Structures are given as structure tokens and as C-alpha cells.
């Protein structure tokens, strides 16, 4: 198997998030979000969730991105009537969770829930966007390979790397 380098930094105290990746590439995965108001949706995704406008075709599509392989296409259309059960998750670092929650709540009060500590060693913030997309911002916590969390993960059959 070839080695792949993820844009997601290894969890550690004070780790810096990956840089926004602005190059064009063949997208292995992306999310398309229909919206009744492209400008308002773009504003929320940019100012709230920390994406950038990679490029736009006015009135047709806005291509948003955070890190490499975190692509969202906003397109004109009828947004969901309610947030669906399905969600899309984007990696971030621990230091960004509260910041993202604060910005999103400032823009649309009541749109976030969490953050919540998950047993798979992450902290997750759920955001329901103005288009009723369910977005989860997820940040891995540093893992002590000899700690109780690592023991639980091994019991579940997960491989826990040692430094």
C-alpha cells in the first residue's frame, strides 16, 4: 500500500489547523447543498464554518473549500424542509471547535449542538446550516496509547498506534 499523507494534523495540544488548499484537483468526494439564497448560504459557510470561496459562477454554483478534500458545492435549489438524519463531517482541530460554534451561533442562534465527547476519541459539534444541511465538525483528541481510552479502543478491535 502506498503512503498517503492526510491534511489532518496529528492531534496534540496547541496543534495548528491545516492551511486552506486552493489548488484544483480531481475531487474524490464532495457535497452538493441546494439553497434558495446563494449569497446568504455562502456567508454562513464562509464566516461560520471557515470555508473559502474557491470559485463561483454567479447564480449557478459556489465551490467552497476548507482543507484538501473538504469541498462543498452550493447550488440554487429547494433546501430541505428539515435537517436530514444524514450528516456530513469535516475534520478540524480541537482549538477550532468552540470558535466555529461561536461564529455559527452569532450568525444563526440555536444552529449548533455540542460539542460532545465521542467514545471514538473525538469532539464533535453539530451545525444545522441555513439550508438545513447537518454538518458535523469533528476534532480528534490526543490519545495516550497507555490510557483508558486506548484500552477501550483495543477492546473494540481497533489498532492504537504507539509513537
Amino acid at each position: 500500500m502506498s503512503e498517503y499523507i492526510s491534511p489532518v494534523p496529528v492531534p496534540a495540544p496547541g496543534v495548528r489547523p491545516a492551511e486552506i488548499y486552493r489548488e484544483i484537483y480531481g475531487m474524490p468526494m464532495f457535497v452538493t447543498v441546494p439553497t434558495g439564497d446563494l449569497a446568504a448560504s455562502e456567508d454562513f459557510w464562509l464566516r461560520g464554518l471557515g470555508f473559502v470561496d474557491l470559485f463561483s459562477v454567479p447564480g449557478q454554483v459556489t465551490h467552497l473549500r476548507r482543507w484538501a478534500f473538504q469541498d462543498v458545492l452550493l447550488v440554487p435549489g429547494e433546501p430541505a424542509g428539515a435537517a436530514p438524519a444524514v450528516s456530513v463531517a469535516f475534520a478540524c482541530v480541537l482549538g477550532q471547535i468552540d470558535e466555529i460554534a461561536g461564529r455559527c451561533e452569532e450568525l444563526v442562534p440555536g444552529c449548533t449542538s455540542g460539542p460532545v465527547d465521542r467514545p471514538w476519541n473525538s469532539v464533535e459539534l453539530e451545525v444545522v446550516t441555513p439550508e438545513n444541511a447537518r454538518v458535523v465538525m469533528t476534532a480528534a483528541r490526543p490519545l495516550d496509547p497507555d490510557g483508558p481510552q486506548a484500552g477501550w479502543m483495543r477492546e473494540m478491535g481497533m489498532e492504537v498506534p504507539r509513537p
Side-chain angles (χ1 to χ4, degrees):
M1 183 169 155
S2 64
E3 184 176 326
Y4 172 75
I5 305 300
S6 170
V8 181
V10 175
V15 68
R16 295 183 47 90
E19 295 293 322
I20 301 271
Y21 189 79
R22 295 179 182 269
E23 300 297 320
I24 301 296
Y25 53 75
M27 297 183 300
M29 183 272 183
F30 60 92
V31 177
T32 301
V33 179
T35 175
D37 186 338
L38 275 170
S41 293
E42 180 180 358
D43 182 60
F44 184 86
W45 285 78
L46 298 180
R47 291 194 306 137
L49 295 170
F51 283 73
V52 297
D53 180 347
L54 190 62
F55 71 85
S56 290
V57 178
Q60 295 181 41
V61 65
T62 298
H63 183 159
L64 304 172
R65 183 176 295 151
R66 284 183 78 247
W67 301 349
F69 312 117
Q70 293 186 341
D71 293 277
V72 174
L73 304 180
L74 297 176
V75 298
E78 190 65 35
V86 150
S87 64
V88 60
F90 295 102
C92 63
V93 297
L94 281 172
Q96 294 179 297
I97 291 281
D98 289 338
E99 174 185 313
I100 292 169
R103 290 192 318 249
C104 289
E105 282 294 324
E106 184 178 302
L107 293 166
V108 179
C111 71
T112 66
S113 58
V116 176
D117 288 340
R118 297 293 187 192
W120 43 88
N121 206 44
S122 70
V123 175
E124 296 184 354
L125 171 72
E126 183 177 293
V127 180
V128 176
T129 71
E131 319 77 35
N132 282 324
R134 188 179 304 275
V135 174
V136 176
M137 301 305 293
T138 181
R141 294 187 307 247
L143 181 63
D144 174 359
D146 297 313
Q149 182 72 32
W152 176 85
M153 292 170 74
R154 284 189 188 94
E155 287 174 18
M156 298 301 296
M158 294 182 226
E159 186 176 327
V160 177
R162 293 194 179 276

